[in-house]
Amino acid sequence: MNAMNKYITLAFLLFPLLLSAQPAEKTRNKSWNPDKGRYFFNKVFSWQYTDEMSEDADFRNGISIRIYVDEKTGTFLFTPEAYVNSGPMIDFVIADQKGNYLVGYSLEHGDFVYERLVLENMQKLRDKPETALDNFKAFFRKTGKQKVFGENRYGWPTFTGDEYKIVFPEMDEEPTVAHIAGIPYSFLPVYMFKHLAIEAQLPFHFDYSEMIPGNHILLSEYSENNGRKTALIFESLSDTEYYIDLKK
């Protein structure tokens, strides 16, 4: 095959991808206007979480945790798929990269209200990333091993996570093992969700805001206590279309 034929073949292969990407971008831009209460989320993170020490049989058998994101802005959406069996009156929580959280509630008689909360500590951590970096260097020991996470289905991305052992010198327990990978936006809105004073709480703590640099995703965490394991395993970052319109 000569150079011209190769070019033509490559062009035909890329053309459908470009066509599919353009409508997706238009859909997102048309549906994304936070100032008017319109949001659109194009990806969803999925983890499997198992806690064999839990009194809840569902947790012992393993549950799914799903968190949506708008990749362009790094804005996250938490629904009951994320906080599972907590916060029964909370429809959703939207969190941006600056520490602003929007919490939507369903009330009796079909009424809906929302409130805005601000985590000022998130901005402090963004302004001084050395806090998390210093703790990361102090307590995370890189093993040199790597593992690929995610499903490469329909072009979904996979992540290659570096393995670390989390070691606290004053504790005699077996170290927790975690896998971490870099991402193009901050994961602090997820890591700091636990700091919100609301009923909805993630079943897994994710509370690494001062331990892991913000632009890194926690892919897995594994620990054992008296032979019973607690494990978080990343499953996929899949395509989706999730709309929220506060006016409706």
Side-chain angles (χ1 to χ4, degrees), residues 27-245:
T27 299
R28 184 266 177 197
N29 292 338
K30 182 180 179 181
S31 306
W32 182 265
N33 193 333
D35 291 338
K36 294 185 177 181
R38 295 203 302 267
Y39 299 85
F40 174 80
F41 302 89
N42 69 321
K43 298 284 186 180
V44 57
F45 291 94
S46 298
W47 292 264
Q48 183 75 11
Y49 174 56
T50 304
D51 182 1
E52 293 181 349
M53 292 182 288
S54 175
E55 296 180 358
D56 191 319
D58 290 337
F59 284 16
R60 293 197 301 272
N61 295 327
I63 61 169
S64 177
I65 300 174
R66 291 164 59 84
I67 300 173
Y68 297 85
V69 69
D70 168 56
E71 290 188 306
K72 196 166 185 177
T73 61
T75 302
F76 292 89
L77 168 68
F78 306 84
T79 70
E81 295 175 88
Y83 41 85
V84 192
N85 57 357
S86 64
M89 296 179 64
I90 297 178
D91 291 333
F92 60 81
V93 180
I94 296 173
D96 68 16
Q97 292 280 296
K98 296 180 180 180
N100 300 304
Y101 289 77
L102 180 69
V103 186
Y105 298 86
S106 282
L107 305 180
E108 294 181 5
H109 312 298
D111 293 331
F112 172 81
V113 298
Y114 61 87
E115 66 173 334
R116 298 183 186 274
L117 305 174
V118 179
L119 289 183
E120 296 181 359
N121 287 342
M122 185 185 299
Q123 192 59 49
K124 292 179 182 178
L125 288 171
R126 287 176 60 84
D127 293 340
K128 294 185 177 181
E130 59 271 16
T131 300
L133 187 58
D134 289 345
N135 288 331
F136 185 73
K137 291 178 179 178
F139 302 114
F140 283 69
R141 305 285 188 267
K142 198 170 186 178
T143 67
K145 298 179 182 179
Q146 291 184 324
K147 185 177 178 180
V148 177
F149 291 82
E151 293 183 68
N152 186 10
R153 185 191 304 177
Y154 313 118
W156 298 349
T158 59
F159 295 87
T160 300
D162 291 312
E163 184 182 88
Y164 293 85
K165 289 186 177 181
I166 308 174
V167 179
F168 297 99
E170 69 277 8
M171 297 178 66
D172 296 329
E173 299 178 0
E174 284 291 318
T176 296
V177 178
H179 288 85
I180 301 164
I183 55 173
Y185 41 84
S186 175
F187 226 64
L188 282 175
V190 178
Y191 293 148
M192 300 196 73
F193 189 93
K194 186 177 180 179
H195 296 257
L196 291 174
I198 59 176
E199 290 185 358
Q201 290 295 317
L202 304 178
F204 177 79
H205 62 88
F206 278 105
D207 192 9
Y208 280 109
S209 57
E210 296 187 19
M211 298 290 289
I212 297 176
N215 61 333
H216 286 74
I217 178 176
L218 180 69
L219 296 169
S220 79
E221 186 197 281
Y222 181 90
S223 62
E224 284 192 20
N225 189 340
N226 295 322
R228 290 184 290 182
K229 70 177 181 180
T230 301
L232 179 79
I233 304 293
F234 178 82
E235 292 186 319
S236 66
L237 175 58
S238 56
D239 299 323
T240 190
E241 291 185 356
Y242 201 114
Y243 302 82
I244 286 183
D245 189 338

